[in-house]
Amino acid sequence: MTVTATVMDSVDSERGATGVVVGRGSGRIMSRKARTGMAAISAAFLAWMTVVTVQIATAPRGGEESPERLRAAVVDALTSDDAGRVQALFHERTAGSHHAEALVDRWAGVSGVDARIVERDHRYLRLSARTPSGAECFAWPIGESGGRWFLDATPAPADLCRG
């Protein structure tokens, strides 16, 4: 009986004011309320990370799958005045954030756009159309990066728009 009382006295003396048993050398053990709070915080963090990962994985990628799809996407984006889509077709290292807006403004209301892939020392996308103010023509180098085809905003040779 003496042994039992000594063990109980020992445990009672180790209880803190909240009734939580204090471990030796490891500090205070978490209460049930604190464990529940930590579990909720951990679950919320895990859910947030899952949402971010899914958004990154399903976000529309820039460029297109082939030069022909790039050509069609450029015409579609320009004729629908979609500057955001046009911007996504340029490689991010070659075009500033407002490059597409200026291009869409310049081509606003233009119909009958002729778009061609021109092969020379490099592949180019050449766009031309008749506008109320005359003829418009632009040409951009196109290239592949990470399995996707992009426009390159660096100037193409001027003679691509002649004749």
Side-chain angles (χ1 to χ4, degrees), residues 1 3 5 31-32 35 53 72 74 80 82 89 97 99 115-117 124 146:
M1 207 56 162
V3 172
S31 68
R32 181 173 293 157
R35 284 192 306 260
T53 302
V74 169
S80 62
D82 187 349
L89 298 172
S97 60
H99 186 77
R116 297 178 188 201
I117 302 291
Y124 299 93

Side-chain angles (χ1 to χ4, degrees), residues 68 71 114-118 124-128:
E68 279 304 313
R71 182 195 63 75
D114 178 42
R116 297 178 188 201
I117 302 291
V118 177
Y124 299 93
L125 175 63
R126 179 184 178 267
L127 294 179
S128 59

Side-chain angles (χ1 to χ4, degrees), residues 5-29:
T6 306
V7 170
M8 290 305 287
D9 288 341
S10 166
V11 169
D12 285 340
S13 67
E14 292 179 359
R15 286 189 188 273
T18 60
V20 176
V21 176
V22 176
R24 294 179 187 206
S26 64
R28 192 167 254 207
I29 297 175

Side-chain angles (χ1 to χ4, degrees), residues 138-155:
F138 284 97
W140 300 279
I142 62 173
E144 185 180 13
S145 177
R148 308 284 292 175
W149 287 84
F150 293 90
L151 295 171
D152 185 333
T154 57

